[in-house]
């Protein structure tokens, strides 16, 4: 029996601050290999928060330790004094820089698969128990999309439905706030997470029927093949796990309407508290990081936040901030990601960030970082934190 307190799968839903309702797609813009022309789709992007839970560090450190490598000694070089607890908030930029550092220093093919396949839903706390108590697999996916920020995913996800097919697909941030090694690691984790979730919710006998990978660099091809009972396509237009649409209605092993209602209510409270952190300035910053051009005016941001421009300006001033400062900071943060993690021409980066031309962008960038965008790209501009000395891991 479906929980009446949450919307059904194909009704209008708000995911990640965006309203969604079923939409039709041009067949020529459909998914590679699809034999139908109309899709309904919902997705949530990975939002940029100021912190990540310590669970991200714990999981990676455990995966390395199983291979005889202790990466804990490298944490202080990135401002983390000791191995954190699962719910310890860690600075986002420092944490992602640490992850990129250890992945580069000690590359292990398929590390993301190994980590996520060993992680069970209860380890994610209340959000994990919310999924576990969902009465159907479709309900669990719906709840993940709704409460995605509580999991702090590095990549987003979406659900497409067409005919008798369904698929969960990856939404990679653009520009990505991390390099290629971490991007592939995050995609490996994402794929294995959903395999682990399906197994935990429905049982060992359930598998995805097809896998598409937008990358052929994934480090463990055989691990990819173990996620599905069907074909695996590399170098596709996107990354997605395909399964029969009927699986959405498959009852879960631990589904319980009352427990799910209680857990979902707690998740709503946690999500509200999370979005309230940083006040209005934090909310504006997150919007600008996602849509720096469309929301480049205070009027557009005020409309997105369902408030007036006058109220927006007044409340930002009360918080010691201003719209122009937040817009400039968001543009500069995104500029670094474009320069570090993409090969786009600088003129295109300037356009994507809403600058009138490359000259105006270069001038603003140099004021902020002390060097031109071209020099920053060629010198692989380092983040404003470690590691300064070469970090060493302990072999255990």
């Amino acid at each position: 029996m479906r929980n009446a307190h949450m919307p059904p799968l194909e009704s209008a839903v708000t995911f990640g601050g965006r309203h969604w309702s079923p939409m039709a797609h041009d067949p020529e813009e459909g998914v590679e290999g699809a034999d139908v022309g109309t899709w309904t789709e919902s997705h949530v992007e990975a939002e940029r928060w100021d912190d990540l839970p310590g669970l991200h560090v714990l999981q990676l450190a455990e995966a390395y330790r199983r291979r005889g490598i202790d990466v804990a000694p490298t944490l202080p070089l990135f401002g983390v004094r000791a191995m954190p607890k699962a719910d310890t908030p860690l600075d986002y930029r420092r944490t992602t820089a640490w992850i990129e550092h250890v992945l580069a220093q000690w590359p292990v093919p398929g590390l993301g698969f190994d980590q996520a396949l060993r992680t069970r839903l209860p380890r994610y706390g209340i959000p994990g128990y919310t999924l576990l108590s969902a009465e159907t697999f479709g309900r669990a996916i719906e709840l993940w999309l709704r409460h995605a920020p509580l999991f702090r995913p590095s990549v987003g996800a979406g659900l497409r439905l067409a005919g008798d097919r369904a698929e969960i697909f990856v939404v990679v941030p653009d520009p990505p706030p991390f390099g290629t090694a971490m991007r592939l690691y995050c995609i490996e984790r994402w794929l294995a997470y959903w395999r682990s979730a399906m197994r935990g919710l429905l049982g060992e006998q359930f598998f995805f029927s097809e896998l598409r990978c937008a990358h052929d660099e994934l480090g463990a091809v055989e691990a990819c093949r173990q996620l599905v009972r069907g074909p695996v396509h590399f170098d596709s237009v996107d990354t997605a796990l395909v399964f029969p649409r009927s699986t959405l209605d498959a009852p879960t092993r631990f589904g319980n309407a009352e427990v799910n209602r209680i857990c979902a209510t707690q998740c709503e409270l946690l999500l509200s508290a999370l979005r309230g952190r940083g006040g209005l300035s934090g909310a504006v910053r997150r919007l600008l990081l996602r849509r720096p051009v469309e929301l480049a005016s205070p009027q557009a941001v005020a409309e997105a936040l369902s408030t007036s421009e006058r109220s927006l300006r007044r409340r930002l001033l009360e918080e010691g901030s201003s719209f122009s400062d937040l817009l400039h900071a968001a543009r500069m943060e995104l500029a670094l990601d474009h320069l570090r993690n993409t090969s786009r021409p600088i003129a295109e980066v300037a356009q994507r960030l809403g600058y009138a031309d490359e000259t105006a962008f270069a001038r603003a960038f140099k004021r902020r970082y002390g060097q031109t965008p071209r020099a920053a790209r060629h010198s692989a501009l380092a983040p404003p934190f470690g590691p300064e000395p070469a970090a060493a891991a302990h072999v255990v």
Side-chain angles (χ1 to χ4, degrees):
M1 179 177 178
R2 187 177 291 276
N3 188 338
H5 292 271
M6 297 290 281
L9 191 62
E10 290 194 348
S11 66
V13 187
T14 298
F15 293 133
R18 293 187 176 184
H19 190 70
W20 168 82
S21 58
M23 62 183 74
H25 292 261
D26 188 305
E28 296 181 358
E29 297 177 354
V31 180
E32 183 180 51
D35 56 4
V36 291
T38 302
W39 292 90
T40 57
E41 177 179 311
S42 60
H43 74 272
V44 59
E45 300 173 5
E47 297 188 52
R48 296 174 183 242
W49 301 93
D50 293 330
D51 61 67
L52 283 174
L55 181 61
H56 286 255
V57 170
L58 285 175
Q59 289 176 328
L60 184 57
E62 289 170 1
Y64 270 109
R65 181 172 285 278
R66 284 192 292 271
R67 287 164 171 76
I69 300 173
D70 180 12
V71 297
T74 64
L75 285 169
L77 299 172
F78 293 83
V80 182
R81 294 187 177 183
M83 191 59 66
K85 295 181 179 179
D87 58 352
T88 302
L90 301 175
D91 180 84
Y92 179 87
R93 288 287 177 175
R94 291 180 183 273
T95 304
T96 55
W98 175 79
I99 293 173
E100 289 192 298
H101 173 72
V102 298
L103 291 175
Q105 290 293 313
W106 306 284
V108 177
L111 192 69
F113 289 117
D114 175 71
Q115 174 193 316
L117 285 172
R118 292 173 180 267
T119 304
R120 299 295 181 259
L121 288 175
R123 193 166 188 188
Y124 293 96
I126 292 295
Y129 281 106
T130 304
L131 301 192
L132 204 59
S133 60
E135 293 181 272
T136 65
F137 187 57
R139 176 69 178 158
I141 296 174
E142 183 181 320
L143 287 167
W144 190 96
L145 290 171
R146 188 178 184 91
H147 302 139
L150 299 179
F151 293 88
R152 295 294 211 291
S154 299
V155 295
L159 174 67
R160 293 191 188 108
L161 307 174
D164 61 356
R165 289 165 56 98
E167 55 187 52
I168 310 172
F169 61 93
V170 173
V171 181
V172 178
D174 185 18
F178 34 68
T180 301
M182 183 168 172
R183 185 157 63 249
L184 295 178
Y185 163 75
C186 291
I187 291 173
E188 288 179 354
R189 281 181 55 199
W190 183 92
L191 291 170
Y193 169 87
W194 281 108
R195 169 61 194 132
S196 180
M198 175 180 270
R199 181 176 60 195
L201 290 166
L202 301 178
E204 295 285 348
Q205 72 275 24
F206 281 83
F207 280 85
F208 292 99
S209 57
E210 182 182 338
L211 167 61
R212 295 194 308 273
C213 290
H215 305 274
D216 56 8
E217 305 99 325
L218 287 178
V221 174
E222 287 309 311
C224 287
R225 300 190 189 283
Q226 292 175 18
L227 301 178
V228 299
R229 287 292 182 266
V232 177
H233 308 287
F234 292 98
D235 205 19
S236 299
V237 294
D238 65 354
T239 298
L241 289 161
V242 182
F243 57 99
R245 184 168 179 166
S246 59
T247 307
L248 293 171
D249 295 320
T252 61
R253 300 159 66 200
F254 308 106
N256 184 298
E258 182 61 18
V259 171
N260 189 248
R261 183 189 67 79
I262 293 171
C263 289
T265 300
Q266 288 300 309
C267 281
E268 292 295 326
L269 294 174
L270 291 171
L271 192 58
S272 178
L274 179 62
R275 295 197 183 282
R277 285 167 48 183
L280 182 63
S281 298
V284 171
R285 173 181 174 273
R286 290 191 293 275
L287 279 175
L288 292 174
L289 285 171
R290 293 214 315 264
R291 299 155 66 190
V293 176
E294 299 94 323
L295 300 179
S297 70
Q299 299 97 318
V301 169
E303 183 178 347
L305 294 174
S306 301
T307 188
S308 66
E309 180 185 350
R310 181 177 179 181
S311 177
L312 176 76
R313 292 184 181 277
R314 175 180 55 79
R315 290 172 60 191
L316 289 177
L317 184 62
E318 290 172 354
E319 294 180 2
S321 184
S322 70
F323 180 81
S324 59
D325 288 345
L326 291 170
L327 177 61
H328 178 64
R331 282 173 165 176
M332 290 296 98
E333 184 174 342
L334 291 170
L336 280 182
D337 291 337
H338 276 293
L339 294 171
R340 287 183 186 139
N341 305 321
T342 78
S343 58
R344 292 186 177 116
I346 292 175
E348 182 182 342
V349 172
Q351 181 183 30
R352 282 173 173 264
L353 295 178
Y355 286 93
D357 52 47
E358 184 178 345
T359 301
F361 168 58
R363 192 163 47 241
F365 189 91
K366 188 170 183 178
R367 279 199 304 268
R368 179 80 170 195
Y369 295 112
Q371 57 180 315
T372 66
R374 198 173 308 279
R377 170 171 276 172
H378 290 162
S379 63
L381 182 64
F385 34 79
E388 295 181 358
H394 291 178
V395 177
V396 295

